[in-house]
Amino acid sequence: MLVSMSLYLLGGFLLLFFGLISFFFGVSFLIQDYVLFLDWEFLSLNSCSMTMTFLFDWMSLIFSGCVLVISSMVVYYSESYMYNDMDSNRFYFLVLLFVLSMMMMIVSPNLISILIGWDGLGLVSYVLVVYFQNFKSYSAGMLTILTNRLGDVAILIAISWMLNFGSWHYIYYVGVWDSWSFYFIMLIVLAGFTKSAQIPFSSWLPAAMAAPTPVSSLVHSSTLVTAGVYLLIRFSNMLLNLNCSFLLMLSMLTMFMAGLGASFEFDLSSIIALSTLSQLGLMMSILFIGWPMLAFFHLLTHAFFKALLFLCAGLMIHCMSDSQDIRHMGVMVNYLPFTCTCFCISNLSLCGLPFLSGFYSKDAILEMMSLSFFNSFVFFIFFISVGLTVSYSTRLIFYCLSYNMNSYSCQSYYEDSIMMKSMVVLSLLAIFGGSLLGWLLFGVPNLIVFPLYLKIMPLVFVFIGGWLGYELCYSTFFSSVYFMKWYFLSFFSGSMWFMSSFSTYMLYGKFMVLSKGFAEVMDSGWGEYFISNSSLLYSSFMGKVISFYQFNNIKLFLLVFLFMFLIAFI
């Protein structure tokens, strides 16, 4: 066990070291407006040379620095979390492989090398989702990988489409617009939508919660789901040539649907997963409105507080004997004071409480959206979604930290020093990260002049959402919301608008029937009987002959003797 512990410590330290170096390099590249384009020729055979290209600019370096710092804390946390696991070494290397795939995707200016990182993320996420090896994990893993394969196929088609250009380095062509570039950018948007779980591909994100908590923390904060947003930020110059109102509507509906679903959910992991979905919708929306820098800013601040939220939730679930129902988690603040403090910090940052890191990006996004020339539907959905975020966060804090003594009777509450240290670093980032990045990323302060009612509108919706969340805490199954009069409405709101059923029974179900037919015809048909089973049939036949011979040996010896005697006589 000492080996795995030292592995986790070493891995966490190295990731933190490289993350800080990467972040400082990113900041210096940003200040100096410097870009490093690196061509590494790793194989030269006769006249054929194979090169690997890396793009180190301020965006890729700052993002990879943040990913590595968060990963270091998650790996360090996993040392305690996975202590009793039989396969903790395998888990460690899978997490490292996951982080390396993300790094590959971030620093690639080339669609082919992006595909390597993109596919790596999909495959390793599948292996991690099915880590606990039960039926729920297998189903979730299949849903995850099948949805992500759509995005992989879109990138493959985009690679073949880029043969119209002179190179696969997309970075040269983001400023170019041709008649067929529309199809190319639509493929990239499709890939981004599948990876970032926008409508209609949203159902895999809550399902992926079947993975261990440290993995969920990485997936939902800075790696898998943010890959799609990051890719679209890189291609944002091409999006300027499009009318993105339909894509904006899809991402806004994702944000609204996830916030609504989380307000009716009682599973702690599902609430946090739906909250990630809501924030991804927010990033995508502001990206399609035309502010990619704000989307990137929110991407980083969200990564800090969401990783912390997952780590706290993981420890709380661990202490509750792996029960994830928030109705069992009454008055946890008495037993886990430090964890609950960090949980509150991350939740309030998610709500957009002033001067925590989530506030800086959310407030800027809402103001820029108000400044854009979009209709009142966009305006109200944005503000209502922000209110819903505060609503489910308040409900979560209320159920887990106060409420009544609903907890199980025999629990082993403990706060591990290793877990607490990892939470401290992420808590500092969740408090100070937003203001720090706000000063770094935006060199010149923008002056936005609004009338007073519009300026305080975000805060008004934050407080209205908090009040709504408090009211929802007291709606039990005996209240009118859950009675038959309104039951369909609450069920519809809480089940992601039936998207999970659509994507499993209706979409994949037909293909499963088709594959079952193919399997019966090909694998279980005549070929299976004659070719694959021939050795089995032969050996079983010979076994029957030999057993018959052994059980009836006296009669057979006499018969054979008589038969041989007759032949010899003749």
Side-chain angles (χ1 to χ4, degrees):
M1 209 61 230
L2 285 171
V3 177
S4 65
M5 285 173 69
S6 60
L7 263 181
Y8 280 101
L9 287 171
L10 179 67
F13 175 74
L14 286 175
L15 285 170
L16 182 63
F17 177 70
F18 286 121
L20 291 172
I21 286 178
S22 176
F23 187 80
F24 286 126
F25 267 113
V27 171
S28 64
F29 277 32
L30 176 63
I31 293 166
Q32 297 166 17
D33 198 14
Y34 186 72
V35 177
L36 192 62
F37 199 87
L38 195 66
D39 249 350
W40 170 44
E41 187 176 310
F42 61 89
L43 180 66
S44 181
L45 191 64
N46 296 338
S47 61
C48 172
S49 66
M50 296 187 74
T51 56
M52 189 80 208
T53 317
F54 300 104
L55 173 71
F56 296 106
D57 64 344
W58 67 267
M59 188 179 277
S60 61
L61 283 168
I62 286 179
F63 188 35
S64 53
C66 291
V67 170
L68 287 170
V69 168
I70 291 168
S71 308
S72 70
M73 291 301 112
V74 169
V75 166
Y76 186 60
Y77 173 92
S78 304
E79 181 195 338
S80 177
Y81 192 85
M82 306 299 286
Y83 184 80
N84 294 319
D85 196 275
M86 295 289 286
D87 302 310
S88 58
N89 287 353
R90 180 174 66 181
F91 176 80
Y92 169 78
F93 287 112
L94 281 172
V95 170
L96 280 191
L97 201 59
F98 197 60
V99 175
L100 286 174
S101 299
M102 190 66 191
M103 290 295 108
M104 187 75 186
M105 201 232 127
I106 291 171
V107 298
S108 296
N110 187 313
L111 268 187
I112 290 183
S113 49
I114 276 182
L115 184 70
I116 297 169
W118 191 268
D119 242 351
L121 283 171
L123 290 169
V124 179
S125 69
Y126 171 72
V127 176
L128 286 167
V129 168
V130 301
Y131 184 82
F132 287 134
Q133 298 185 12
N134 51 40
F135 283 111
K136 187 188 171 191
S137 298
Y138 290 149
S139 309
M142 284 312 294
L143 182 58
T144 303
I145 199 161
L146 286 175
T147 312
N148 280 306
R149 287 314 283 167
L150 288 171
D152 299 343
V153 169
I155 290 214
L156 277 168
I157 300 170
I159 286 171
S160 59
W161 203 248
M162 276 196 85
L163 288 169
N164 292 305
F165 291 133
S167 159
W168 276 303
H169 291 324
Y170 73 86
I171 208 80
Y172 298 153
Y173 301 110
V174 286
V176 176
W177 187 256
D178 209 338
S179 55
W180 46 265
S181 296
F182 169 77
Y183 305 105
F184 174 67
I185 195 67
M186 279 298 108
L187 288 166
I188 298 296
V189 167
L190 173 63
F193 265 43
T194 53
K195 203 60 115 184
S196 293
Q198 302 298 294
I199 286 177
F201 310 109
S202 302
S203 54
W204 73 263
L205 191 67
M209 295 303 301
T213 302
V215 176
S216 303
S217 177
L218 264 182
V219 164
H220 288 255
S221 64
S222 54
T223 50
L224 183 67
V225 292
T226 57
V229 181
Y230 181 75
L231 189 71
L232 287 179
I233 290 169
R234 283 294 197 191
F235 279 93
S236 55
N237 283 346
M238 291 185 90
L239 287 170
L240 296 173
N241 299 289
L242 288 178
N243 177 11
C244 297
S245 16
F246 178 68
L247 302 172
L248 171 63
M249 186 191 75
L250 287 179
S251 47
M252 277 194 326
L253 287 178
T254 306
M255 175 169 60
F256 179 67
M257 176 266 297
L260 201 60
S263 299
F264 285 93
E265 184 62 67
F266 284 103
D267 185 304
L268 179 60
S269 296
S270 295
I271 291 172
I272 304 177
L274 287 167
S275 125
T276 304
L277 192 53
S278 169
Q279 300 307 304
L280 286 168
L282 182 64
M283 292 172 214
M284 284 288 195
S285 309
I286 198 66
L287 180 61
F288 289 129
I289 285 175
W291 300 97
M293 277 299 299
L294 284 178
F296 184 65
F297 183 28
H298 191 57
L299 184 68
L300 297 180
T301 56
H302 169 258
F304 297 144
F305 58 73
K306 191 50 63 73
L308 175 62
L309 193 59
F310 264 106
L311 296 190
C312 297
L315 181 54
M316 287 156 78
I317 291 167
H318 222 46
C319 291
M320 293 298 299
S321 306
D322 299 330
S323 163
Q324 298 186 6
D325 198 320
I326 58 173
R327 289 166 295 191
H328 296 157
M329 296 185 181
V331 203
M332 261 191 146
V333 72
N334 292 351
Y335 307 103
L336 304 170
F338 182 80
T339 308
C340 289
T341 308
C342 295
F343 187 72
C344 276
I345 288 170
S346 54
N347 247 321
L348 293 171
S349 188
L350 168 66
C351 293
L353 192 79
F355 313 116
L356 292 178
S357 87
F359 166 74
Y360 291 94
S361 52
K362 273 197 170 183
D363 191 58
I365 284 173
L366 286 171
E367 289 188 346
M368 286 305 181
M369 183 275 307
S370 308
L371 206 61
S372 305
F373 298 98
F374 278 94
N375 54 25
S376 56
F377 175 75
V378 175
F379 185 82
F380 282 115
I381 287 284
F382 255 87
F383 279 105
I384 289 167
S385 301
V386 166
L388 283 171
T389 303
V390 187
S391 161
Y392 63 71
S393 302
T394 310
R395 182 170 166 267
L396 197 57
I397 290 175
F398 187 80
Y399 266 104
C400 297
L401 273 55
S402 62
Y403 204 39
N404 50 8
M405 279 297 287
N406 272 354
S407 53
Y408 285 167
S409 51
C410 300
Q411 295 305 329
S412 55
Y413 293 107
Y414 68 96
E415 287 191 319
D416 200 310
S417 62
I418 289 173
M419 291 182 174
M420 284 163 71
K421 284 174 194 168
S422 59
M423 284 177 201
V424 167
V425 177
L426 288 173
S427 297
L428 290 172
L429 287 172
I431 297 167
F432 301 113
S435 56
L436 175 72
L437 287 167
W439 283 110
L440 287 174
L441 298 184
F442 306 104
V444 181
N446 290 326
L447 178 65
I448 306 169
V449 181
F450 277 142
L452 180 65
Y453 70 90
L454 210 53
K455 192 70 181 169
I456 62 166
M457 187 83 90
L459 286 176
V460 169
F461 270 87
V462 163
F463 288 118
I464 290 174
W467 169 78
L468 180 67
Y470 183 70
E471 289 296 324
L472 274 173
C473 296
Y474 286 105
S475 67
T476 62
F477 278 115
F478 301 104
S479 64
S480 59
V481 178
Y482 293 103
F483 275 177
M484 297 320 284
K485 185 179 176 185
W486 299 104
Y487 180 71
F488 179 77
L489 185 65
S490 64
F491 181 63
F492 175 71
S493 304
S495 60
M496 291 178 68
W497 299 351
F498 305 143
M499 207 171 299
S500 307
S501 309
F502 280 127
S503 31
T504 48
Y505 304 134
M506 295 186 70
L507 204 61
Y508 299 142
K510 308 298 179 197
F511 293 107
M512 294 296 180
V513 169
L514 187 68
S515 61
K516 182 171 177 283
F518 284 147
E520 283 172 353
V521 170
M522 300 292 293
D523 291 347
S524 310
W526 292 104
E528 174 80 11
Y529 189 76
F530 275 119
I531 298 164
S532 305
N533 277 352
S534 55
S535 56
L536 176 67
L537 291 170
Y538 175 72
S539 56
S540 65
F541 173 72
M542 290 305 294
K544 285 174 186 173
V545 168
I546 290 166
S547 65
F548 179 73
Y549 173 71
Q550 287 175 340
F551 281 116
N552 301 285
N553 50 5
I554 296 176
K555 286 188 287 184
L556 286 169
F557 276 141
L558 285 170
L559 282 169
V560 167
F561 174 72
L562 286 170
F563 183 66
M564 294 297 288
F565 183 75
L566 282 169
I567 289 171
F569 187 72
I570 290 166

